[in-house]
Amino acid sequence: MGSNPYPLPQPATPAGADGLAALLARPGKAVVALDFDGTLAEIVPDPEQARAHPRAVPALAALAPHVASVAVVTGRPAGVAVRYGGFAGVPGLEHLVVLGHYGAERWDAVSGTVSAPAPHEGVAAVRAELPGVLDRFGAWRGTWIEEKGQAVAVHTRRASDPQAAFDALRDPLTELAARHGLIVEPGRMVLELRPPGVDKGVALLEYVREVGAETVLYAGDDLGDLPAYAAVEKLRSDGHPGLLICSGGEVPELAERADLRLPGPAALADFLAALAKAMA
């Protein structure tokens, strides 16, 4: 192993230590999977302004040649994540995969194309009713609707009281989603209405099996990452080592289950760079 320019933080759990050891011992049998917002990119008030941390893509490009695969698993449309991440055409990331819309969409760097199913018909119905619902509950001012193709999200981060707006909208949006066959995925000051049956855990398990990986690293920051955490825990129970990383500490449900907690995207980028150096 080469010299390491960054200290490599150590997991706080025995399972995490085993996962890191397996990653370093057999990197060619490992999948490195990462959320985008809050993990590779800082959380910002306007989601359209989110971009990968400047050190994130170079770190991924250094790491990717050593492992079986690098995948970005995100609730965003796959194409949007590719643009905001700056992932296309990067030397070292020729085999990157982006699983968008919680795995419903897929972008492969090899082909440069996105494959996706037809949108759920409930998404269009919800989209049409949302403005009226927000107005009826006095939550129109400061909230922002994000069009996601396969889903639609309501952000409250820019409201005068983001948490109050979030709490006020959670039940009515859950009822609206249910009427049209959708579910609500809560996040950090965001409520996403999307089709059921697809989540990051399902996407991650299917991808790990597709690749034939023995070990998986997963890093995330929000409630939508809990199914991916559960998937890694299931893989562990089946004898496959895994490492769970929490980026930031705003979501206790995630932080409490993580093997390793890092302060945010900058620290995660440095960890990935250190991991790549340790594998070299």
Side-chain angles (χ1 to χ4, degrees), residues 47-48 76-77 80 144-148 151-155 190 192:
E48 292 186 353
R76 286 187 182 270
V80 171
W144 184 75
I145 298 173
E146 181 185 6
E147 301 289 351
K148 304 183 75 171
V152 60
V154 178
H155 295 262
V190 60
E192 181 169 316

Side-chain angles (χ1 to χ4, degrees), residues 36-232:
F36 185 72
D37 292 280
T39 303
L40 292 174
E42 297 285 357
I43 295 290
V44 292
D46 182 354
E48 292 186 353
Q49 301 304 313
R51 297 294 184 270
H53 188 278
R55 295 198 295 276
V57 172
L60 289 175
L63 180 63
H66 300 291
V67 299
S69 180
V70 171
V72 176
V73 188
T74 176
R76 286 187 182 270
V80 171
V82 171
R83 291 197 305 274
Y84 291 3
F87 300 133
V90 177
L93 295 183
E94 293 88 355
H95 299 281
L96 178 74
V97 168
V98 176
L99 303 175
H101 280 308
Y102 303 90
E105 290 186 351
R106 174 166 170 162
W107 176 86
D108 287 90
V110 170
S111 64
T113 59
V114 173
S115 56
H120 188 288
E121 62 183 12
V123 174
V126 159
R127 185 181 293 117
E129 290 188 40
L130 257 181
V133 172
L134 296 180
D135 187 54
R136 200 157 56 244
F137 285 89
W140 183 255
R141 189 180 300 277
T143 57
W144 184 75
I145 298 173
E146 181 185 6
E147 301 289 351
K148 304 183 75 171
Q150 303 279 345
V152 60
V154 178
H155 295 262
T156 67
R157 189 172 293 272
R158 292 187 289 188
S160 57
D161 188 336
Q163 188 63 53
F166 180 92
D167 293 340
L169 287 172
R170 187 163 185 168
D171 285 348
L173 292 189
T174 298
E175 188 274 333
L176 173 64
R179 279 197 286 110
H180 296 290
L182 305 179
I183 61 170
V184 168
E185 181 77 47
R188 291 160 67 178
M189 300 303 115
V190 60
L191 294 157
E192 181 169 316
L193 293 78
R194 64 179 179 84
V198 179
D199 62 40
K200 291 184 179 183
V202 173
L204 183 59
L205 280 176
E206 289 179 353
Y207 189 67
V208 167
R209 289 168 181 156
E210 174 189 328
V211 173
E214 296 176 355
T215 305
V216 59
L217 176 157
Y218 185 82
D221 77 305
D222 208 345
L223 293 171
D225 296 302
L226 285 172
Y229 269 40
V232 173

Side-chain angles (χ1 to χ4, degrees), residues 38-42 53-56 247 262-272:
T39 303
L40 292 174
E42 297 285 357
H53 188 278
R55 295 198 295 276
S247 172
L262 298 173
L268 178 67
D270 290 345
F271 176 83
L272 296 173

